[in-house]
Structures are given as structure tokens and as C-alpha cells.
Amino acid sequence: MKPKHRPSWDEYFLEIAKVVSSRSTCLRRRYGAVIVKDNVIISTGYNGAARGSVECTERGSCKRQDLKIPPGQRYELCEAVHAEQNAIINAPPERMKDAKIYIAGFEEDGSFAESAPCLLCQRMIKNAMLSEVIYINKSGEIVKTKI
């Protein structure tokens, strides 16, 4: 019997972030985030409309896409809350200090999206006192960044 590959902790939590991204309601990209401390999951989040708002998947359209706004611009027009933001909002503040956040994202065609946090999410991650960001880049490589 051939020994089974046991994933590293980073691989394991990134796989979970991939599954979390499947709950996304964004028509452009799907992102999932997992906050982990001492190898225990504290919180998860995916990108989608704020609670009580109509999801883009329900509406069948995306404002930014309809207006042909390039990726990374005019976020104020978007209904969605980012995966990192939702994970932070849903986590107990006292547990986030020195925790890690894992992020995985996918394009419409299923290929990897650049999953580095945007500037606003970077500030929220710092403010939540997370210690490290681990994400999958567009090439499918794992990237680690200390905060």
C-alpha cells in the first residue's frame, strides 16, 4: 500500500478556504477565507452581498461588470463584502490576536485568482491583529506574508 500524502497545515487550511469559496455569490470571482489559531479554525468567510441585500447570483447581474469596471476599481459600487472581511466580522476578537488567515480565490473559469488581500482588507487584517496571511496566487503557488 502506497503511503497517502498528508497535507501540511497550510495546504490543509487552503483546501478548506477553497471549499468555503464555493459559497460565494459573486458573479466575477469566488473567494474563501479561513482564520486559524493554533491549528484550530476560528472563523470562515466568503465574498457576497451584505446580509439582507440581494445577492448578485439572485439578481443575475453585477453592477461593476455591467458598467465594465476593471477588476480592483470602484469597489464602492459593489454589493459584496470580501471573504476576509466576513471572516473577521464573524470571529471573536480575542481569538484573532496572532492568528493566521488563509485565502483562496477563483476566476469565473475556475482558474486561480490573485488572492492577496486588497488594501482595505490588509488594514482590517492588521486591525484584527492577525499575524500572517497565507494565500494562493494566480499561478497556484502558496504565498506567506507576515503582518
Side-chain angles (χ1 to χ4, degrees):
M1 180 186 254
K2 188 176 178 180
K4 185 178 145 192
H5 168 73
R6 186 171 186 217
S8 69
W9 285 113
D10 289 342
E11 292 168 331
Y12 175 72
F13 291 120
L14 284 168
E15 284 298 318
I16 293 171
K18 289 177 187 178
V19 172
V20 171
S21 77
S22 69
R23 290 284 306 154
S24 170
T25 60
C26 180
L27 296 172
R28 291 181 117 179
R29 283 179 198 79
R30 298 181 333 268
Y31 287 95
V34 180
I35 297 176
V36 174
K37 186 168 185 178
D38 300 325
N39 294 329
V40 175
I41 296 172
I42 296 171
S43 179
T44 66
Y46 54 86
N47 59 319
R51 289 180 179 108
S53 298
V54 177
E55 306 281 359
C56 293
T57 51
E58 290 175 37
R59 187 175 43 250
S61 67
C62 166
K63 284 183 191 176
R64 292 175 62 238
Q65 202 165 31
D66 294 345
L67 296 170
K68 296 178 180 20
I69 296 169
Q73 297 179 17
R74 305 290 315 270
Y75 283 129
E76 72 276 6
L77 298 175
C78 184
E79 300 284 336
V81 178
H82 290 187
E84 304 94 316
Q85 295 168 344
N86 275 320
I88 290 168
I89 289 165
N90 292 322
E94 68 280 359
R95 293 283 293 142
M96 284 191 285
K97 186 174 189 292
D98 298 323
K100 300 175 182 180
I101 187 166
Y102 292 85
I103 308 162
F106 299 92
E107 301 285 350
E108 287 179 89
D109 65 4
S111 63
F112 287 113
E114 184 60 43
S115 299
C118 71
L119 292 173
L120 177 58
C121 287
Q122 288 176 34
R123 290 192 300 265
M124 289 185 74
I125 288 166
K126 279 185 177 183
N127 221 33
M129 297 188 290
L130 300 173
S131 65
E132 190 172 11
V133 176
I134 299 106
Y135 64 92
I136 302 173
N137 69 14
K138 199 165 182 60
S139 301
E141 301 164 325
I142 297 173
V143 178
K144 295 180 176 191
T145 306
K146 294 279 187 189
I147 304 300

